[in-house]
Amino acid sequence: MKSMTRLLIAMKAIDKRWLVGYVFLLFVGFSISLKQPPFYMPDEGAHYLRAHEVSRLHLINFRGNVGADVSCSEYITAAKKYHLTPNVQKKAEDGQADPLCTVRSRNTAGSYSFIPYIPAAAALALTDTLGWAVEQKLAAARSLNFLVWFSILFAGLMFICKGRLLILCIVLMPAFFWQLVALSADGASLASCVVFVCAVVGLIQRGQAVSGRAIGWLVALAMLIGASKGVYALIALFALALWDQLPGKSWWFKVASLASPTVAALGIFLLFTGMADPSQVYLGNGAVPAEQLNYVIQNPLAFSKTLLDMFLSTPLEAVAVPRYAVANPRSSLNAAIIFGLALAVLMLRSDFGAGRRGRFLAAALSVAGFIGFCLPLYLTYTPVGASSILGIQGRYYLPLLPLVFVALAINMSDVNWPAFQSKAGWIIVLPILFLLWACWNIK
């Protein structure tokens, strides 16, 4: 009863314009999930098969017990772009006309935790009993996946006061929004990372002593980060920005408390990956992790140059625009990207209240996060000694963006923030129009 009362009080305190915006954005997300061609999102076929496994309660691909039965025709529809298991692919192709033919759903997402796939798996289980076609099941899985993770993310925005509008505009970037709609583990990754940053920023803005209950919530959020994409566990170190809000505590107590979210995130990641069959981790392009790691250790400057080259050569539109979703992003969206970047610079004039230590920590974690997703791809997906890193995609940057904005925000504590925020409300218009434009120009 007390929890319900607190929820009602919180609902009354929320500006109704945010609720209207939430409902509107749900409509946009559902439209994308229905209009986007089946299995067009990145690696969506592999993630569909993983969600299928979870829908059959095959939560972990243990050694010697990999995959769940899926009909041959459904496997071909979902995995036709992925020829990583030729023996399974061949059997499915030969038997796809036979309704009794089944194969094991081996796929490249097979080592992932089941937690990010729970919403999609629930949709697949329901639509499977209703006898829906594969394409319809995918649309339902996309929709429920989006509903759950976007709702969690949007609720997380309520943690903060100053800077909420700025974080919302990041969320409304088309590339960010499309990843929330896609059937993958990215929805859980984006939601958990953004909500964690919002929770820490919210605690900073309150300026009160951090309670054990607050640390417990941060640990829970960090576990969700680790269960979706372990590499983003680094973001949980942002909790160290709360150092001064543990007054009267020893140095060891502060380290143990504020590092506990990161430990929890890494622990849950190692738990799931340790139980999974290592054959599910795909090594490609002549990658030999042990030899590559030895090369990195012996040639740290060469690897550092490779990282810098990768960062400088990443096309900006790869972060801002989902090239796989719209018809002609390079020509049609260039003007919008430039205008959006100019707008972002203006929006950086926002006081998150993080202070110098918090902003420095956010910047350091942004750099560490970039290295964190480059290094695994360099070790497992790139030929030994290569001068570039294969497999890097702009969407990998997205969970780091809130930290980047916190790091670059200019302290404007002398500005009348409520007045500034009310005048800045028009800023939301551009991303919403951007989303609508992209939605109706889906391939």
Side-chain angles (χ1 to χ4, degrees):
M1 183 63 70
K2 290 183 178 180
S3 299
M4 183 61 68
T5 302
R6 284 197 294 266
L7 178 61
L8 290 175
I9 293 174
M11 290 292 290
K12 289 180 180 179
I14 296 175
D15 190 326
K16 298 302 184 292
R17 289 175 294 181
W18 286 88
L19 295 179
V20 172
Y22 166 72
V23 173
F24 173 78
L25 292 171
L26 283 183
F27 167 76
V28 176
F30 292 150
S31 299
I32 294 172
S33 69
L34 296 174
K35 289 195 63 178
Q36 191 71 53
F39 304 104
Y40 194 76
M41 305 286 202
D43 302 331
E44 202 167 36
H47 292 296
Y48 179 92
L49 294 176
R50 182 69 184 113
H52 169 84
E53 293 172 353
V54 178
S55 74
R56 299 297 179 89
L57 300 182
H58 186 91
L59 304 183
I60 298 174
N61 281 308
F62 293 106
R63 294 171 177 82
N65 184 18
V66 174
D69 287 336
V70 58
S71 70
C72 291
S73 59
E74 188 167 344
Y75 183 94
I76 289 299
T77 303
K80 59 187 176 182
K81 294 183 180 180
Y82 309 95
H83 300 274
L84 305 179
T85 51
N87 55 330
V88 174
Q89 191 84 21
K90 179 63 176 172
K91 180 182 177 182
E93 289 174 349
D94 292 342
Q96 60 182 309
D98 181 2
L100 299 179
C101 175
T102 61
V103 293
R104 303 292 281 179
S105 55
R106 292 197 60 172
N107 64 88
T108 56
S111 63
Y112 283 22
S113 157
F114 66 90
I115 293 176
Y117 296 97
I118 292 176
L124 291 183
L126 175 61
T127 53
D128 193 46
T129 61
L130 298 175
W132 287 17
V134 181
E135 293 81 0
Q136 295 172 317
K137 290 163 69 174
L138 172 64
R142 282 175 175 173
S143 298
L144 188 56
N145 193 61
F146 168 74
L147 174 64
V148 170
W149 299 121
F150 181 70
S151 297
I152 291 173
L153 188 158
F154 205 90
L157 290 173
M158 301 301 113
F159 289 147
I160 60 177
C161 176
K162 296 181 292 185
R164 183 185 298 173
L165 189 65
L166 175 56
I167 299 297
L168 176 64
C169 287
I170 296 173
V171 171
L172 292 182
M173 285 174 51
F176 201 111
F177 205 76
W178 252 263
Q179 287 307 118
L180 287 168
V181 176
L183 174 51
S184 71
D186 288 345
S189 298
L190 294 172
S192 57
C193 289
V194 173
V195 172
F196 188 91
V197 173
C198 287
V200 173
V201 169
L203 290 170
I204 291 172
Q205 291 174 349
R206 289 181 181 87
Q208 302 170 347
V210 177
S211 65
R213 184 177 181 181
I215 296 295
W217 276 109
L218 292 180
V219 168
L221 286 170
M223 291 177 69
L224 181 56
I225 295 175
S228 55
K229 288 285 182 68
V231 68
Y232 296 119
L234 286 168
I235 291 176
L237 286 173
F238 189 52
L240 291 171
L242 301 170
W243 186 273
D244 293 332
Q245 290 173 242
L246 288 175
K249 302 296 184 181
S250 68
W251 187 88
W252 288 106
F253 181 89
K254 291 183 178 183
V255 170
S257 298
L258 300 179
S260 58
T262 305
V263 173
L266 290 174
I268 200 75
F269 170 71
L270 293 174
L271 175 66
F272 283 121
T273 55
M275 290 189 293
D277 189 331
S279 68
Q280 299 296 289
V281 179
Y282 178 64
L283 301 179
N285 305 306
V288 183
E291 294 183 17
Q292 191 76 300
L293 181 60
N294 185 58
Y295 173 82
V296 171
I297 294 173
Q298 293 182 359
N299 302 275
L301 293 180
F303 179 64
S304 299
K305 182 179 182 302
T306 299
L307 284 175
L308 182 61
D309 290 342
M310 289 304 301
F311 180 76
L312 295 177
S313 64
T314 300
L316 202 53
E317 63 266 27
V319 181
V321 181
R323 284 180 285 181
Y324 46 84
V326 294
N328 192 1
R330 286 199 176 274
S331 60
S332 301
L333 301 185
N334 277 346
I337 293 170
I338 294 171
F339 186 64
L341 289 173
L343 184 61
V345 172
L346 295 175
M347 290 164 60
L348 288 175
R349 297 177 61 80
S350 168
D351 176 21
F352 282 97
R356 288 184 179 180
R357 177 183 294 172
R359 292 201 298 272
F360 176 79
L361 181 60
L365 290 175
S366 301
V367 175
F370 173 73
I371 298 173
F373 60 72
C374 282
L375 185 59
L377 286 172
Y378 193 65
L379 297 179
T380 64
Y381 200 69
T382 305
V384 177
S387 58
S388 62
I389 303 173
L390 302 182
I392 294 292
Q393 299 181 38
R395 61 193 174 103
Y396 297 158
Y397 294 81
L398 298 178
L400 300 174
L401 288 184
L403 285 176
V404 173
F405 275 61
V406 170
L408 297 179
I410 299 172
N411 191 330
M412 293 187 67
S413 56
D414 58 333
V415 171
N416 183 343
W417 176 255
F420 176 76
Q421 187 181 41
S422 64
K423 293 177 181 177
W426 61 270
I427 294 176
I428 298 181
V429 173
L430 174 68
I432 287 180
L433 291 177
F434 201 178
L435 279 174
L436 284 175
W437 182 92
C439 181
W440 302 123
N441 284 276
I442 292 173
K443 286 185 178 180

